[in-house]
């Protein structure tokens, strides 16, 4: 039986049909616009339309269980979605409504968990037992995969490193606290740091180019990224001691995160005399979300709550 995965994004909904015997390749991939401004019922209708298109295109029948990557978080206690940047989804019983509309069991996880699962199974982190997948871009999300399964956690927040506090940092965060990792090393945080030093609003890729050409404030901004990333990820390593950390998102494209000096910046804060953790670039690109969603439906969930995998973070990527 084929696996169906659907990645629900802010502007598009992508679906894929995957052969479980060759799970690293999609039999078919299609997308439709989300059009969330037209309301919740319309978004559900778009997903139903997409699944019907997948059936026609692949010549397969929808399986009894479909995996969904969602923005925001499904609260494990009350079962409704929150913190979605597609606001029409907030407060809705998305999992139940999808299941009813499609006549299937719907399993959900947020985008960072889907990313982590796909990279751990088929991408940069394959054949490692504990993999942390980070989406370090507009925000700082993360997911933890242990033995090929997403670690969800009691509150659905496992892997939420972006809201750990950083020493000496006080920038207010949308989550209501201050000095969170996300306020220090997300793309917007790095751009803000550069702007405060130079008075110039410049996008991150340009800051990276300026640093390479020797511009001091740009270089200082990237040195700050290195040292703060080291401190932030060391807190994760001290708890989980993962085999690999896969770094997605726009900030994850920056070369210095993978060099020896960054490894040294991590080691400064790790409770050990060496760090062998692999820091890896993702291999699946845009495909990670929909592959991760499909693989949610592949794992048996006998010991898991039917509540799926919610997170306490708006959907971020890039
Ligand atoms: Zn925060």
């Amino acid at each position: 039986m084929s696996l169906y995965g659907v990645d629900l994004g802010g502007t598009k909904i992508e679906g894929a049909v995957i052969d479980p015997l060759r799970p690293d390749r999609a039999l078919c991939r299609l997308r439709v616009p989300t059009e969330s401004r037209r309301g919740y019922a319309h978004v559900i209708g778009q997903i139903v339309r997409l699944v019907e298109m997948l059936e026609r295109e692949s010549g397969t029948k929808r399986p009894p269980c479909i995996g969904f990557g969602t923005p925001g978080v499904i609260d494990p206690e009350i079962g409704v979605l929150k913190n979605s940047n597609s606001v029409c989804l907030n407060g809705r019983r998305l999992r139940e409504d999808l299941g009813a509309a499609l006549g299937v069991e719907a399993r959900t996880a947020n985008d960072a968990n889907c990313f982590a699962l796909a990279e751990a199974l088929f991408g940069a982190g394959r054949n490692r037992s504990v993999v942390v997948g980070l989406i370090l871009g507009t925000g700082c999300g993360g997911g933890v995969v242990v033995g090929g399964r997403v670690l969800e956690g009691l509150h659905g927040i496992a892997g939420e490193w972006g809201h750990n506090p950083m020493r000496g940092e006080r920038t207010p965060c949308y989550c209501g606290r201050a000095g969170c990792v996300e306020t220090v090393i997300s793309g917007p945080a790095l751009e803000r740091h550069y702007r405060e030093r130079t008075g110039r609003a410049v996008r991150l890729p340009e800051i990276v180019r300026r640093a390479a050409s020797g511009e001091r404030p740009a270089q200082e901004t990237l040195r700050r990224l290195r040292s703060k990333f080291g401190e932030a990820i060391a807190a994760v390593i001290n708890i989980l001691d993962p085999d690999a950390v896969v770094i997605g998102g726009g900030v994850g494209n920056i070369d210095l995160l993978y060099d020896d000096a960054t490894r040294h910046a991590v080691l400064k804060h790790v409770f050990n005399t060496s760090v062998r953790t692999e820091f890896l670039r993702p291999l699946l690109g845009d495909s990670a979300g929909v592959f991760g969603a499909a693989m949610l439906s592949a794992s048996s969930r006998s010991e898991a709550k039917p509540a799926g995998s919610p997170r306490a973070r708006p959907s971020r990527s890039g």
Side-chain angles (χ1 to χ4, degrees):
M1 187 175 302
S2 301
L3 304 175
Y4 277 43
V6 175
D7 185 17
L8 176 51
T11 57
K12 64 179 167 56
I13 306 167
E14 179 159 17
V17 178
I18 289 166
D19 177 352
L21 299 176
R22 301 228 32 207
D24 55 337
R25 288 175 51 186
L27 295 173
C28 98
R29 268 173 84 169
L30 298 169
R31 53 178 58 174
V32 295
T34 310
E35 298 171 341
S36 59
R37 71 190 175 285
R38 295 178 64 181
Y40 180 69
H42 180 76
V43 175
I44 298 287
Q46 289 292 83
I47 294 170
V48 171
R49 191 161 75 85
L50 175 66
V51 169
E52 290 167 353
M53 288 162 57
L54 289 170
E55 288 183 316
R56 273 198 304 277
E57 184 84 10
S58 67
T60 64
K61 279 272 169 223
R62 76 188 69 176
C65 176
I66 297 181
F68 295 88
T70 68
V73 45
I74 292 179
D75 187 298
E77 281 187 71
I78 55 177
V80 303
L81 196 85
K82 62 187 180 185
N83 293 354
S84 169
N85 50 6
S86 292
V87 291
C88 75
L89 304 178
N90 286 324
R92 302 292 189 156
R93 297 188 169 277
L94 181 64
R95 190 187 308 115
E96 290 172 25
D97 294 343
L98 285 172
L102 292 163
V104 300
E105 177 195 348
R107 289 184 183 163
T108 59
N110 94 336
D111 54 356
N113 277 2
C114 289
F115 167 81
L117 182 60
E119 287 290 341
L121 293 176
F122 312 123
R126 63 191 298 172
N127 301 323
R128 279 77 163 179
S129 68
V130 179
V131 176
V132 171
L134 308 178
I135 297 183
L136 179 49
T138 312
C140 296
V144 180
V145 177
V146 180
R149 300 172 64 95
V150 171
L151 179 69
E152 295 173 357
L154 175 65
H155 309 96
I157 60 168
E160 242 11 298
W161 72 305
H163 298 275
N164 282 350
M166 298 212 70
R167 278 177 278 191
E169 299 294 337
R170 288 177 186 78
T171 303
C173 182
Y174 76 86
C175 74
R177 285 162 283 270
C180 295
V181 169
E182 183 164 312
T183 68
V184 181
I185 59 171
S186 66
L190 295 167
E191 290 166 359
R192 188 188 65 240
H193 180 82
Y194 181 85
R195 190 172 67 242
E196 285 170 359
R197 264 140 203 82
T198 62
R200 295 192 292 273
V202 171
R203 299 304 305 273
L204 186 61
E206 176 61 20
I207 295 173
V208 173
R209 276 191 289 277
R210 291 181 182 197
S213 66
E215 193 212 83
R216 281 279 184 72
Q219 290 178 333
E220 192 273 329
T221 300
L222 295 192
R223 273 199 302 275
R224 175 179 165 84
L225 167 64
R226 190 200 300 283
S227 69
K228 295 291 183 177
F229 173 79
E231 182 187 337
I233 201 64
V236 177
I237 291 172
N238 282 339
I239 301 298
L240 291 171
D241 200 2
D243 301 279
V245 177
V246 184
I247 313 174
V251 179
N253 286 329
I254 299 177
D255 292 338
L256 69 76
L257 289 176
Y258 306 91
D259 69 16
D260 285 345
T262 294
R263 184 169 291 277
H264 191 75
V266 177
L267 177 59
K268 274 174 71 174
H269 304 280
V270 165
F271 183 53
N272 199 34
T273 53
S274 65
V275 176
R276 299 198 307 280
T277 319
E278 295 176 279
F279 294 95
L280 303 170
R281 296 171 191 273
L283 293 181
L284 301 176
D286 279 353
S287 308
V290 75
F291 274 85
M295 295 315 291
L296 292 174
S297 69
S299 57
S300 75
R301 287 288 190 87
S302 51
E303 78 276 32
K305 298 181 297 251
S309 175
R311 321 300 305 285
R313 184 177 68 81
S315 176
R316 305 283 175 80
S317 59

